[in-house]
Amino acid sequence: MKTQIITAAHVKDAAALIKKGGLVVFPTETVYGLGASAFNPAACARIFTAKGRPSDNPLIVHVSNETQLAEVAAELPVQARLLKDAFWPGPLSLVVLKNPNLPDIVTAGLPTVAVRWPRSPLALAFLEECGVGVAAPSANVSGAPSPTTVEMVKNAMLGRVEGILAGDDCEEGLESTIVGFVDGRAKILRPGSVTAADLARVLGCDAADLVYVAPTEGRPLSPGLKYTHYKPDAEVRLFRSSTELASIAVEGHKVGVLMVAGPALPEGWEVRNFEDWKAYGRHLYSAFFDFDRVGCTLILAQLPEADGFGTAIANRLHKAAGT
Ligand code: TXA
Ligand code: MG
């Protein structure tokens, strides 16, 4: 399949492909999404094939106005409305009851749908032109890190989609915070840049109340949580301090390092020394990608404190490292 690379000035062309049942990768402030019309089941089925994604893993639907939201979701519960008003448009997905007209393939047969109103201006322009909710998982091949640059998108999706809407590098770099509701109460299903403290402030509860404990039996609330994610080709090892870093055996490896304000390191290592954790999160996946491309076999990644945005980074790092 020939993939059209579409610039921001031609956002209408990208939307036209969606309207014809095509697949289009588009940028959001979190990561690039692999989109299809949420109301075209055949197009949605092609998302699963293009990604190599298991069909029991539901898709997030992206909207840009109230009409699209109402077409996708049933009426929002009170807590969801509070979060919507506080954080949309933005990097937060809400899992709510679906509109019965939304095709079952989007939600993998679940009665709920994950819905997000992104804030990236190009994503919003694209969604407005599409005129319909756009189902879009992250635009990586299943299991790999999500793409945050056009280069990563091309590497993963050229030849698999009709179009790539080429925007800037993603501002956040990690996938959205996902919040679901258990008996009407908000629970964080995936941490992101909207933190537990941010959510708790709006809901008037304790951040600890938002912790989701997955049931040991039956279907988990978020099916995707059980799959391995975010893995580069290289082995990933985590460290907290310079002492821990120095204790990791690196013989025979080409080494890549990710850290924040860290010490000087041996010549020949690929080092990304970020100024803060925000920058670390923004560039995490693109650094994985770059390290793989230059042939690193071992990536040493610093773990943040699991607090605030650090929780989201630590969550992705543990999955990448298999720890
Ligand atoms: O930032 C993001 O969220 C990006 C951009 C493109 O919006 N999207 C993204 O989608 O990360 P994806 O498919 O890679 O991750 C969505 C997660 C999956 O783990 C999926 O299982 C979960 O959301 N999910 C989707 N619908 C759900 C539902 N109805 N109930 C529970 N979890 C759901
Ligand atoms: Mg994903």
Side-chain angles (χ1 to χ4, degrees):
M1 179 191 312
K2 175 111 178 64
T3 302
Q4 230 180 299
I5 308 294
I6 302 164
T7 59
H10 297 94
V11 68
K12 278 197 167 127
D13 296 347
L17 292 175
I18 292 283
K19 289 177 191 166
K20 280 192 295 194
L23 299 183
V24 175
V25 176
F26 65 100
T28 80
E29 67 276 19
T30 58
V31 302
Y32 275 78
L34 166 53
S37 163
F39 290 89
N40 183 329
C44 290
R46 291 183 50 222
I47 292 181
F48 291 89
T49 316
K51 264 185 81 82
R53 183 181 180 109
S55 60
D56 69 344
N57 195 357
L59 308 174
I60 296 180
V61 182
H62 299 69
V63 301
S64 60
N65 58 51
E66 296 288 345
T67 309
Q68 289 175 8
L69 176 61
E71 284 167 358
V72 166
E75 208 177 320
L76 305 191
V78 179
Q79 286 212 325
R81 275 211 303 278
L82 289 173
L83 297 178
K84 164 184 183 283
D85 291 345
F87 299 108
W88 282 358
L92 173 71
S93 299
L94 296 172
V95 177
V96 295
L97 282 178
K98 81 188 210 38
N99 183 312
N101 296 329
L102 184 71
D104 284 333
I105 189 169
V106 174
T107 62
L110 291 174
T112 53
V113 60
V115 59
R116 179 157 104 80
W117 186 323
R119 69 155 189 256
S120 142
L122 188 49
L124 290 172
F126 169 67
L127 294 168
E128 279 298 303
E129 287 294 341
C130 289
V132 68
V134 171
S138 51
N140 50 289
V141 171
S142 225
S146 303
T148 55
T149 68
V150 172
E151 201 190 354
M152 291 176 79
V153 168
K154 286 184 182 166
N155 185 264
M157 288 295 152
L158 270 183
R160 295 180 188 229
V161 297
E162 277 76 15
I164 293 173
L165 179 57
D168 296 331
D169 294 356
C170 300
E171 211 181 314
E172 301 282 346
L174 296 184
E175 304 82 355
S176 62
T177 305
I178 303 182
V179 171
F181 299 88
V182 179
D183 301 328
R185 296 229 184 92
K187 299 286 171 193
I188 298 173
L189 304 183
R190 179 176 71 186
S193 60
V194 176
T195 66
D198 295 335
L199 297 164
R201 203 172 311 119
V202 169
L203 296 174
C205 66
D206 278 352
D209 298 339
L210 300 170
V211 175
Y212 172 61
V213 182
T216 48
E217 280 175 19
R219 198 169 181 177
L221 197 54
S222 190
L225 300 181
K226 69 176 182 277
Y227 297 109
T228 316
H229 278 312
Y230 321 120
K231 259 189 164 15
D233 295 333
E235 180 191 348
V236 178
R237 298 275 307 268
L238 309 179
F239 67 93
R240 286 194 172 76
S241 61
S242 322
T243 324
E244 263 182 46
L245 171 60
S247 73
I248 301 174
V250 296
E251 289 83 56
H253 281 294
K254 179 164 173 64
V255 179
V257 182
L258 288 163
M259 59 188 182
V260 170
L265 291 171
E267 283 281 308
W269 286 18
E270 291 288 328
V271 178
R272 299 280 190 287
N273 199 355
F274 298 107
E275 63 180 308
D276 56 27
W277 289 106
K278 199 76 198 159
Y280 185 113
R282 181 182 308 135
H283 298 294
L284 175 66
Y285 293 149
S286 59
F288 279 170
F289 178 75
D290 293 344
F291 286 170
D292 276 344
R293 269 206 322 189
V294 299
C296 290
T297 54
L298 179 63
I299 297 174
L300 308 179
Q302 187 178 0
L303 257 181
E305 294 293 324
D307 186 32
F309 185 48
T311 310
I313 297 175
N315 168 270
R316 306 316 190 268
L317 288 178
H318 281 301
K319 293 196 177 192
T323 54

